Amino acid sequence: PATAAPQGDKDVIVRLFQWNWPSVAKECKEFLGPRGVGAVHVSPPQEHVVRPDLGSPWWQDYQPVSYKIDSRRGDRAAFAAMVSGCKSAGVKVFVDAVINHMAGQDVPGTGWAGSRYDHYSYPGIYGDNDFHHCGRNGNDDIKNYMDRFEVQNCELVNLADLKTESEQVRNRIAGYLNDLLSLGVDGFRIDAAKHMPTGDIAAITSKLSRPAYIYQEATYAAGEPIQPDEYLRNGDVKEFRYGYDLARIFNQEKLSYLRTFGAPLPSDKAVVFTDNHDTQRGHPVLTYKDGGRYALANAFMLAWPYGSPQLMSSFEFSNNDQGPPSESNGRTKNATCFTDGWRCEHRWQVISNMVGFHNTVRGTNVNSWWDNGNDLITFGRGDKGYLVLNDEGSATTGRSFRTPLPAGKYCDVIHGDFAGGRCTGPVYTVDSGGWFRADVAAHDAIALHVNARV
Ligand code: LM2
Ligand code: CA
């Protein structure tokens, strides 16, 4: 049986939420690969329900109808081309694996690729006997998250809940995942992990034809019987507390509290993020809508040694159901950064340049921490990098900062791009004692690292 594969040396994941396959392929080649991003997390590739009557909401994609690789983002050939394109650009592909359930529609319908289905009937794949009917709450829906049985055997928002304890169901799911592996996929984000017993996930991943990186969507809530750390036995786990805590510190508290920042899951098993597609819809996290503050929070995340960072790349939305920019036939439009609603946070200068910082300081410890007791913080990483974060409402001027860096001239990658030995922004000279002098504007930062020396 295959074990969970490690993520590899480049551990930054970019979540290109709802991007179609040709756009993902292009982004891997033109941007993600050259910038040192390790992997792209793509939206679910399997056939899904279609609800044009509801404006084709983004969440159609979390209601599988069959395991045909054919979705509004493209067909099997386009998916396969994307995977091989990303891989030749040095970027791994992690697939959003929706395996806890099928669709949640009460009336029969036809999926994106033409498959007929009914709530508990997916011809040639699953029948009524492959689903849980938990017999609770009148409609089999989950109501009580304090009840483990209910969370794993009843229906999450009416979604037909698969009997993941059944050998036949496990074989079907593993068949789908192995099909994706055969196309070159490197890993899986396990959707709705909390709604499956850890042992069921383990039984499914043990059927994989080769090791794959596994990270699980096990949302945290205080006091619940099912806790994220149970899932560590299967691979990595999304650490939801990180984004909530980071937002609270940036929004209401002091950056000086970041000195001991972390979360309960072990750092080397946690995938961390400021926001994801669920939390950015109505939860207290920072998102692209926060502008500069969002960029600074991401800069901190990429500079700080806790967890593997996942960067969000969103499309703009004004209501929580709104789907991605689409053609009239329902296909997702090409992602064109900064137009048409594609916000491309992963391309923001501060965020994308900090990926290089993150990769440069990998494996080093925090040192040289200094803060002003409020919203101005600084720290170094080994002898490789140094970050100044000023979230005060006013500039700090004429201050000298002591870094752990070797003497030299450094590109400030927060304001400048570094390439071919040249910097398009400010350059700071670190002296032989590690000191440099700088002004830092309000709500701004400076980041120096040894792979951006002019
Ligand atoms: C996830 N992670 O564990 C996804 O990150 C999350 O986005 C998914 O929910 C969820 N699990 C199930 O895969 C989304 C969305 C829901 C949506 C479902 C299914 O957040 O709102 O539910 O996908 O499409 C929608 C309607 C809901 C309805 C349901 C079934 O919002 O009102 O329930 O479809 O028709 C009656
Ligand atoms: Ca379940």
Side-chain angles (χ1 to χ4, degrees):
T3 48
Q7 204 177 345
D9 282 348
K10 291 185 297 173
D11 69 340
V12 176
I13 305 170
V14 169
R15 164 141 222 210
L16 295 179
F17 182 53
Q18 299 260 324
W19 282 40
N20 70 23
W21 308 142
S23 297
V24 173
K26 194 159 177 276
E27 196 66 358
C28 281
K29 187 165 175 240
E30 292 177 359
F31 198 83
L32 303 178
R35 293 306 194 102
V37 167
V40 61
H41 163 195
V42 298
S43 286
Q46 89 294 316
E47 181 179 13
H48 50 78
V49 302
V50 288
R51 293 299 304 267
D53 54 317
L54 298 179
S56 304
W58 61 267
W59 46 252
Q60 286 180 176
D61 311 54
Y62 290 91
Q63 299 193 36
V65 160
S66 79
Y67 295 127
K68 276 188 207 158
I69 298 174
D70 196 348
S71 70
R72 60 166 131 183
R73 280 170 295 289
D75 61 15
R76 185 180 181 90
F79 179 82
M82 176 276 289
V83 175
S84 70
C86 286
K87 298 197 70 171
S88 43
V91 181
K92 294 181 177 178
V93 177
F94 298 159
V95 163
D96 204 325
V98 184
I99 60 175
N100 170 65
H101 53 260
M102 297 297 279
Q105 308 295 318
D106 285 319
V107 293
T110 305
W112 173 267
S115 302
R116 296 284 304 164
Y117 66 88
D118 202 346
H119 199 176
Y120 303 106
S121 166
Y122 301 81
I125 309 170
Y126 299 124
D128 191 70
N129 198 36
D130 295 314
F131 295 96
H132 291 138
H133 299 286
C134 75
R136 292 198 182 175
N137 305 321
N139 63 358
D140 286 352
D141 264 10
I142 302 167
K143 280 221 175 74
N144 180 11
Y145 273 80
M146 298 306 278
D147 186 313
R148 174 183 293 269
F149 174 87
E150 188 162 322
V151 172
Q152 296 182 330
N153 295 275
C154 292
E155 294 175 355
L156 169 64
V157 293
N158 204 43
L159 299 162
D161 200 61
L162 283 162
K163 277 187 185 164
T164 46
E165 68 275 27
S166 131
E167 194 60 14
Q168 190 179 306
V169 168
R170 288 174 177 177
N171 284 334
R172 278 275 179 226
I173 293 172
Y176 167 55
L177 301 181
N178 281 329
D179 185 29
L180 292 165
L181 289 179
S182 77
L183 297 176
V185 160
D186 300 281
F188 302 108
R189 170 225 187 238
I190 307 293
D191 181 75
K194 185 197 270 185
H195 301 280
M196 294 176 277
T198 55
D200 290 3
I201 296 174
I204 292 163
T205 57
S206 77
K207 294 175 188 284
L208 295 181
S209 54
R210 60 181 166 80
Y213 176 66
I214 301 291
Y215 62 124
Q216 300 155 94
E217 196 85 351
T219 53
Y220 166 79
E224 284 185 5
I226 307 169
Q227 288 292 316
D229 61 1
E230 288 177 31
Y231 290 83
L232 293 171
R233 65 176 276 201
N234 298 326
D236 289 358
V237 176
K238 295 296 246 355
E239 178 49 275
F240 279 76
R241 287 163 279 201
Y242 188 99
Y244 296 124
D245 290 348
L246 197 59
R248 198 186 59 248
I249 290 172
F250 270 83
N251 287 337
Q252 300 155 35
E253 301 175 350
K254 303 169 175 197
L255 265 51
S256 61
Y257 294 176
L258 292 170
R259 183 171 194 151
T260 55
F261 197 68
L265 292 174
S267 173
D268 63 340
K269 302 280 270 177
V271 175
V272 299
F273 46 101
T274 50
D275 60 324
N276 75 2
H277 73 284
D278 290 321
T279 65
Q280 74 175 192
R281 288 171 171 72
H283 295 262
V285 295
L286 292 165
T287 72
Y288 72 84
K289 296 180 187 188
D290 295 292
R293 184 180 297 176
Y294 183 72
L296 293 183
N298 276 274
F300 174 80
M301 176 172 79
L302 288 161
W304 191 251
Y306 175 87
S308 290
Q310 173 168 289
L311 305 178
M312 180 66 189
S313 192
S314 313
F315 61 83
E316 208 170 292
F317 59 94
S318 48
N319 78 71
N320 288 346
D321 293 332
Q322 189 179 324
S326 298
E327 313 284 357
S328 53
N329 61 9
R331 281 185 173 278
T332 307
K333 283 191 182 174
N334 291 337
T336 48
C337 281
F338 313 120
T339 62
D340 223 1
W342 300 100
R343 297 304 295 246
C344 296
E345 299 92 306
H346 71 286
R347 275 198 181 231
W348 293 10
Q349 183 179 45
V350 170
I351 299 177
S352 59
N353 285 349
M354 285 304 290
V355 172
F357 183 110
H358 179 88
N359 290 340
T360 298
V361 304
R362 181 179 174 82
T364 66
N365 292 324
V366 171
N367 57 37
S368 319
W369 178 279
W370 178 83
D371 64 66
N372 69 346
N374 197 48
D375 277 328
L376 172 60
I377 65 170
T378 69
F379 59 93
R381 292 286 310 274
D383 57 359
K384 301 217 181 315
Y386 189 75
L387 180 71
V388 181
L389 239 172
N390 179 30
D391 203 27
E392 295 284 353
S394 59
T396 172
T397 52
R399 196 182 281 277
S400 288
F401 297 97
R402 179 154 206 189
T403 77
L405 299 172
K409 287 183 190 306
Y410 291 80
C411 180
D412 169 17
V413 299
I414 297 286
H415 300 96
D417 298 332
F418 178 81
R422 304 237 312 252
C423 178
T424 63
V427 170
Y428 293 97
T429 302
V430 172
D431 71 17
S432 57
W435 295 88
F436 75 103
R437 205 178 143 88
D439 299 339
V440 195
H443 311 298
D444 207 345
I446 295 176
L448 314 179
H449 68 80
V450 295
N451 287 330
R453 276 185 281 192
V454 301

